[in-house]
């Protein structure tokens, strides 16, 4: 994935040089190349939380104090009356929908949005899809935009046996087989969940009313689908590695803010469906175990401070952030602390 150096700096309070930032990123395990102040990363499969500007900045917090630099829409939003059925809540335990209607959009993008396309070489598609892609770049959560007028009254999500053709929004026809997670209107498949939407409900430059889907999919349901159907999908790349299940409202409110920068909003409605209780993970505080694993002599205070700077909340136990799917043991915590200390600095 590619990120602009200047964009990453906006998420950091301290402003390191590109050379120093690169050094810290390598220390943290984020291998990359640099071309014209563009950071091009290779990520390990279990670090889906770092596939965004926000995620990288959180990892850099110990060194440069990360922040969230942009506005989100903070006004009240009307409740969306949507006939949605989820027939596989294990595959999609939480999903939010945002309906936006706009007047005429501005003719040119603000510099922060324009640079995402012109400097990173990304293709513009249409107004709403462009914003969807930019929000994913910023926050790591994919969203999908449907032209609201093309949808029926009832939308269904299910994991079902498929034996039919599906035309993607890129006009590629694929033959679905075996079990897939799909969104349907009536009998028509309108999206291969977590991978790509369909042509029949795709947005265009003429779209003025849109339904935006923002979901958490069980990674096991998405893994391998893009490869199986020979589809290039940034969304699948992120869903396969796990997105933050708690981020949906913030992501959609950021989406609204960007729309508001470029168009007059005529109406806003939102609805969240949550099908399971929060599964927050905790680990005990055990500095002795960490010192045994790393060969260090950290005090309890040092141990807690390192983890706190990496986003862990600590009271009587260590609370694992909702975006850190890869953390499940003291071994994982020792790796986190080792990255921040720097393995070359451990005797």
């Amino acid at each position: 994935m590619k990120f602009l150096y200047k964009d990453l700096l906006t998420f950091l309070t301290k402003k390191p040089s590109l050379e120093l930032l690169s050094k810290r990123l390598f220390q943290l395990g984020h291998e990359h190349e640099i071309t014209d102040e563009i950071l091009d990363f290779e990520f390990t499969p279990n670090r889906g939380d770092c596939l965004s500007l926000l995620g990288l900045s959180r990892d850099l917090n110990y060194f440069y104090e990360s922040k969230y630099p942009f506005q989100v829409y903070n006004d009240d939003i009307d409740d969306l009356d949507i006939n949605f059925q989820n027939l596989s809540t294990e595959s999609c335990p939480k999903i939010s929908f945002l309906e936006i209607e706009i007047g005429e959009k501005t003719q040119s993008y603000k510099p922060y949005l324009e640079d995402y396309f012109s400097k990173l070489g990304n293709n513009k598609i249409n107004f709403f899809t462009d914003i969807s892609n930019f929000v994913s770049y910023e926050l790591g959560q994919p969203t999908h935009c449907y032209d609201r007028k093309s949808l029926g009254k009832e939308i269904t999500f299910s994991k079902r046996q498929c034996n039919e053709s599906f035309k993607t929004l890129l006009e590629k026809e694929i033959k679905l087989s075996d079990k897939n997670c799909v969104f349907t209107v009536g009998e028509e498949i309108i999206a291969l969940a977590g991978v790509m939407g369909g042509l029949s409900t795709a947005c265009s430059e003429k779209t003025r009313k849109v339904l935006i889907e923002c979901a958490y999919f069980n990674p096991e349901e998405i893994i391998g689908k893009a490869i199986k159907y020979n589809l290039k999908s940034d969304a699948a790349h992120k869903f396969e590695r796990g997105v933050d299940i708690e981020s949906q409202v913030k992501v959609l409110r950021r989406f609204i803010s960007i729309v508001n920068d470029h168009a007059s909003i005529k109406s806003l409605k939102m609805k969240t469906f949550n099908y399971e209780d929060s599964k927050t993970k905790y680990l005990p505080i055990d500095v002795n175990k960490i010192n045994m694993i790393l060969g260090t002599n950290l005090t309890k205070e040092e141990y807690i401070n390192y983890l706190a700077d990496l986003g862990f909340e600590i009271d009587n136990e260590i609370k694992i952030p909702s975006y850190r799917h890869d953390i499940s043991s003291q071994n994982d915590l020792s790796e986190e602390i080792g990255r921040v200390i720097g393995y070359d600095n451990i005797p």
Side-chain angles (χ1 to χ4, degrees):
M1 291 195 68
K2 295 180 180 180
F3 298 94
L4 288 172
Y5 163 64
K6 73 175 187 64
D7 286 348
L8 185 51
L9 284 189
T10 63
F11 281 76
L12 302 173
T13 301
K14 300 177 182 177
K15 309 298 181 183
S17 67
L18 179 57
E19 181 181 5
L20 185 54
L21 179 66
S22 176
K23 181 179 178 181
R24 291 304 187 195
L25 287 167
F26 271 109
Q27 176 180 324
L28 292 167
H30 302 309
E31 297 184 6
H32 60 277
E33 297 178 347
I34 300 174
T35 305
D36 297 329
E37 296 200 342
I38 295 173
L39 299 153
D40 191 353
F41 289 84
E42 295 281 344
F43 287 101
T44 53
N46 67 339
R47 289 308 305 277
D49 64 295
C50 283
L51 298 175
S52 66
L53 293 170
L54 177 62
L56 283 173
S57 70
R58 285 187 303 225
D59 233 31
L60 289 162
N61 180 63
Y62 175 80
F63 303 105
Y64 305 122
E65 298 177 12
S66 67
K67 61 179 181 178
Y68 184 70
F70 300 118
Q71 295 296 317
V72 298
Y73 185 82
N74 288 316
D75 292 349
D76 293 338
I77 301 174
D78 291 338
D79 191 55
L80 175 63
D81 182 14
I82 183 171
N83 192 349
F84 173 68
Q85 289 192 74
N86 188 338
L87 304 182
S88 182
T89 57
E90 299 84 2
S91 303
C92 179
K94 187 174 183 180
I95 185 168
S96 300
F97 293 97
L98 171 67
E99 183 184 273
I100 303 180
E101 184 176 6
I102 63 169
E104 292 300 312
K105 72 178 182 67
T106 56
Q107 295 303 308
S108 59
Y109 288 159
K110 301 288 186 181
Y112 70 87
L113 188 55
E114 180 61 38
D115 285 352
Y116 169 73
F117 297 99
S118 62
K119 295 188 177 181
L120 286 175
N122 295 311
N123 294 324
K124 294 179 182 177
I125 302 171
N126 58 68
F127 180 59
F128 289 109
T129 302
D130 290 350
I131 293 175
S132 175
N133 291 336
F134 180 75
V135 170
S136 182
Y137 168 72
E138 276 193 334
L139 303 182
Q141 167 70 53
T143 54
H144 182 69
C145 302
Y146 301 93
D147 187 307
R148 192 69 179 98
K149 292 182 179 179
S150 69
L151 293 174
K153 294 182 179 180
E154 181 178 297
I155 302 173
T156 301
F157 172 83
S158 63
K159 180 182 179 181
R160 74 178 209 187
Q161 187 73 28
C162 297
N163 184 26
E164 58 210 281
S165 294
F166 169 68
K167 185 169 283 191
T168 73
L169 53 78
L170 298 178
E171 300 189 29
K172 178 179 180 179
E173 189 160 327
I174 59 176
K175 183 63 181 273
L176 299 178
S177 61
D178 304 319
K179 286 191 174 182
N180 298 278
C181 290
V182 294
F183 288 93
T184 56
V185 171
E187 294 300 315
E188 179 190 4
I189 294 176
I190 60 170
L192 180 60
V195 182
M196 192 168 291
L199 183 62
S200 66
T201 57
C203 294
S204 71
E205 282 297 341
K206 295 180 180 180
T207 300
R208 292 293 176 265
K209 191 172 185 178
V210 66
L211 183 70
I212 302 153
E213 161 223 314
C214 184
Y216 177 87
F217 300 112
N218 188 331
E220 285 73 19
E221 304 293 359
I222 309 301
I223 290 172
K225 296 298 183 182
I227 294 174
K228 178 178 180 179
Y229 297 117
N230 194 26
L231 297 172
K232 186 177 180 180
S233 170
D234 177 72
H237 185 75
K238 290 175 178 174
F239 282 126
E240 287 175 346
R241 289 153 179 78
V243 298
D244 182 2
I245 196 170
E246 300 297 333
S247 72
Q248 292 177 17
V249 170
K250 181 177 183 179
V251 166
L252 291 177
R253 286 183 172 274
R254 175 59 179 152
F255 196 111
I256 296 168
S257 179
I258 298 172
V259 172
N260 206 31
D261 277 348
H262 296 87
S264 59
I265 297 176
K266 297 173 69 174
S267 67
L268 283 174
K269 297 178 182 179
M270 188 162 63
K271 181 77 171 182
T272 295
F273 298 88
N274 195 356
Y275 300 99
E276 68 174 30
D277 294 332
S278 176
K279 294 182 178 179
T280 304
K281 294 188 295 184
Y282 294 88
L283 288 171
I285 297 172
D286 193 345
V287 66
N288 292 329
K289 178 71 171 178
I290 299 300
N291 282 328
M292 288 176 63
I293 293 170
L294 291 177
T296 51
N297 293 295
L298 299 176
T299 65
K300 182 178 178 181
E301 182 180 10
E302 289 172 325
Y303 163 78
I304 288 174
N305 287 340
Y306 280 130
L307 292 179
D309 281 337
L310 286 166
F312 295 84
E313 295 180 26
I314 301 161
D315 192 4
N316 295 321
E317 293 180 291
I318 299 166
K319 180 181 178 182
I320 310 303
S322 57
Y323 51 84
R324 290 307 304 268
H325 305 280
D326 56 312
I327 303 294
S328 60
S329 69
Q330 295 293 333
N331 286 325
D332 296 327
L333 293 180
S334 71
E335 182 179 349
E336 294 300 294
I337 292 172
R339 291 189 306 118
V340 175
I341 295 174
Y343 287 112
D344 289 344
N345 297 323
I346 298 176

